[in-house]
Amino acid sequence: MKLAFITDMHLGTEGENPQGVDVRQNFLKALDFVADMKPNGLVLGGDICNDTGDRAIYEWVKKQVDQLPIPCYVLSGNHDDPTMLAEAFRNTHHLHGSELYYALPLDGRPVLFLDSSKGELSPEQWTWLREYLKALRDNNILILMHHPPLPADVVFMDRKYPFGQSDAFLDIMRELPCHVTVVCGHYHVDKVVQRGNLLALLSPSTFYQMQHNSPEFAIDHYQIGIREINLTTHGTTSTVHYLKPGQ
Ligand SMILES: [Fe+2]
């Protein structure tokens, strides 16, 4: 089971190029790459919009991903509106209040799609997550969410825009007898963080990548990044692909 994970596209309205980057073109290039990769599914990891959720942008994105012959799953980021996103992706049955979270078996493997768009999970989402983890106890689990659930030594992001409930998340994971892999975005870096039975794969953006060590906001480079995830009966492998300039 191969998944492509594209995240942090930060799309604006047509013709809007944040920081001079043609983010729509970048997204389309990433989709072209995904088409060649021939995955079984595509995940959009949130921060689809650059500023706030926008129906027209979500509809445009839906139109683009519908051209691929694979299902597309969406996560809400802190710049998204979960309700608008769910409406555009005909996914409203997965809305719980104003949060978009759900569980799907992918190739027989349980996958949880969380909504961290408010920087934390609501009490209802925590209850839902605990119940699912209890039911899935003996399975290795894949969790997809926008925020890295724990600090990642990316100084600026850890200080300014971290997930607000890392300790609670780690406490729950620590109790599980299985391995948990989290694939996430938000930090605009490609990084692996392991703690106990938890492995977090931070994924690069299609907009810009951040420097890891800077205490201030600092861009590392503008290459478009895409994560590939392979789920096998033996475990998980993952690779980050960067498109070459001009590709
Ligand atoms: Fe974000």
mmCIF file of all heavy atoms in Angstrom, residues 2 41 49 60 157-159 173 194 205 224 241:
data_model
loop_
_atom_site.group_PDB
_atom_site.id
_atom_site.type_symbol
_atom_site.label_atom_id
_atom_site.label_comp_id
_atom_site.label_asym_id
_atom_site.label_seq_id
_atom_site.Cartn_x
_atom_site.Cartn_y
_atom_site.Cartn_z
ATOM 1 N N LYS A 2 0.788 1.974 -1.083
ATOM 2 C CA LYS A 2 1.641 3.174 -1.182
ATOM 3 C C LYS A 2 0.774 4.426 -1.064
ATOM 4 O O LYS A 2 -0.253 4.538 -1.735
ATOM 5 C CB LYS A 2 2.366 3.152 -2.534
ATOM 6 C CG LYS A 2 3.389 4.265 -2.681
ATOM 7 C CD LYS A 2 3.900 4.374 -4.107
ATOM 8 C CE LYS A 2 4.809 3.225 -4.467
ATOM 9 N NZ LYS A 2 5.432 3.442 -5.818
ATOM 10 N N GLY A 41 -3.196 5.899 -2.781
ATOM 11 C CA GLY A 41 -3.996 6.992 -2.242
ATOM 12 C C GLY A 41 -3.131 8.226 -2.034
ATOM 13 O O GLY A 41 -1.898 8.133 -1.950
ATOM 14 N N CYS A 49 -4.944 26.053 2.475
ATOM 15 C CA CYS A 49 -5.060 27.504 2.251
ATOM 16 C C CYS A 49 -3.918 28.243 2.949
ATOM 17 O O CYS A 49 -3.370 27.788 3.949
ATOM 18 C CB CYS A 49 -6.395 28.016 2.768
ATOM 19 S SG CYS A 49 -7.794 27.455 1.768
ATOM 20 N N TRP A 60 -11.223 24.209 -6.092
ATOM 21 C CA TRP A 60 -10.181 24.116 -7.117
ATOM 22 C C TRP A 60 -9.265 22.917 -6.843
ATOM 23 O O TRP A 60 -8.941 22.140 -7.755
ATOM 24 C CB TRP A 60 -9.360 25.423 -7.144
ATOM 25 C CG TRP A 60 -8.281 25.411 -8.179
ATOM 26 C CD1 TRP A 60 -8.418 25.649 -9.515
ATOM 27 C CD2 TRP A 60 -6.890 25.111 -7.957
ATOM 28 N NE1 TRP A 60 -7.199 25.519 -10.145
ATOM 29 C CE2 TRP A 60 -6.250 25.198 -9.219
ATOM 30 C CE3 TRP A 60 -6.132 24.796 -6.827
ATOM 31 C CZ2 TRP A 60 -4.889 24.971 -9.374
ATOM 32 C CZ3 TRP A 60 -4.769 24.559 -6.982
ATOM 33 C CH2 TRP A 60 -4.158 24.647 -8.242
ATOM 34 N N MET A 157 9.597 26.757 15.169
ATOM 35 C CA MET A 157 8.260 26.167 15.190
ATOM 36 C C MET A 157 7.939 25.566 16.561
ATOM 37 O O MET A 157 6.812 25.698 17.046
ATOM 38 C CB MET A 157 8.120 25.116 14.087
ATOM 39 C CG MET A 157 8.177 25.669 12.683
ATOM 40 S SD MET A 157 6.898 26.912 12.350
ATOM 41 C CE MET A 157 5.450 25.875 12.099
ATOM 42 N N ASP A 158 8.916 24.906 17.182
ATOM 43 C CA ASP A 158 8.684 24.352 18.526
ATOM 44 C C ASP A 158 8.287 25.457 19.509
ATOM 45 O O ASP A 158 7.456 25.260 20.390
ATOM 46 C CB ASP A 158 9.943 23.653 19.050
ATOM 47 C CG ASP A 158 10.118 22.248 18.491
ATOM 48 O OD1 ASP A 158 9.159 21.695 17.928
ATOM 49 O OD2 ASP A 158 11.238 21.704 18.626
ATOM 50 N N ARG A 159 8.914 26.631 19.364
ATOM 51 C CA ARG A 159 8.630 27.727 20.296
ATOM 52 C C ARG A 159 7.339 28.450 19.969
ATOM 53 O O ARG A 159 6.560 28.782 20.840
ATOM 54 C CB ARG A 159 9.765 28.760 20.234
ATOM 55 C CG ARG A 159 10.980 28.332 21.010
ATOM 56 C CD ARG A 159 11.981 29.468 21.048
ATOM 57 N NE ARG A 159 13.262 28.998 21.533
ATOM 58 C CZ ARG A 159 14.391 29.657 21.372
ATOM 59 N NH1 ARG A 159 14.391 30.815 20.743
ATOM 60 N NH2 ARG A 159 15.510 29.170 21.841
ATOM 61 N N MET A 173 0.212 7.340 23.969
ATOM 62 C CA MET A 173 0.981 6.445 23.097
ATOM 63 C C MET A 173 1.859 5.500 23.914
ATOM 64 O O MET A 173 2.014 4.331 23.576
ATOM 65 C CB MET A 173 1.849 7.259 22.130
ATOM 66 C CG MET A 173 1.062 8.108 21.176
ATOM 67 S SD MET A 173 -0.138 7.128 20.235
ATOM 68 C CE MET A 173 -1.476 8.287 20.069
ATOM 69 N N GLN A 194 11.789 10.076 16.912
ATOM 70 C CA GLN A 194 11.356 8.824 17.542
ATOM 71 C C GLN A 194 11.382 9.002 19.056
ATOM 72 O O GLN A 194 12.323 9.575 19.611
ATOM 73 C CB GLN A 194 12.289 7.683 17.102
ATOM 74 C CG GLN A 194 11.942 6.324 17.678
ATOM 75 C CD GLN A 194 12.714 6.021 18.930
ATOM 76 O OE1 GLN A 194 13.858 6.447 19.081
ATOM 77 N NE2 GLN A 194 12.093 5.295 19.852
ATOM 78 N N SER A 205 6.946 20.851 2.824
ATOM 79 C CA SER A 205 5.855 21.590 2.198
ATOM 80 C C SER A 205 6.044 21.636 0.681
ATOM 81 O O SER A 205 7.123 21.329 0.159
ATOM 82 C CB SER A 205 5.892 23.007 2.788
ATOM 83 O OG SER A 205 5.208 23.923 2.000
ATOM 84 N N ILE A 224 10.221 21.835 -3.891
ATOM 85 C CA ILE A 224 8.919 21.227 -3.578
ATOM 86 C C ILE A 224 9.155 19.826 -3.019
ATOM 87 O O ILE A 224 9.832 19.018 -3.649
ATOM 88 C CB ILE A 224 8.056 21.139 -4.856
ATOM 89 C CG1 ILE A 224 7.819 22.536 -5.429
ATOM 90 C CG2 ILE A 224 6.754 20.405 -4.593
ATOM 91 C CD1 ILE A 224 7.307 22.521 -6.876
ATOM 92 N N HIS A 241 10.734 12.973 -1.473
ATOM 93 C CA HIS A 241 11.206 13.349 -2.812
ATOM 94 C C HIS A 241 11.183 14.872 -2.921
ATOM 95 O O HIS A 241 10.187 15.492 -2.543
ATOM 96 C CB HIS A 241 10.268 12.778 -3.884
ATOM 97 C CG HIS A 241 10.121 11.285 -3.826
ATOM 98 N ND1 HIS A 241 11.043 10.430 -4.386
ATOM 99 C CD2 HIS A 241 9.167 10.504 -3.264
ATOM 100 C CE1 HIS A 241 10.642 9.175 -4.179
ATOM 101 N NE2 HIS A 241 9.511 9.197 -3.509
#
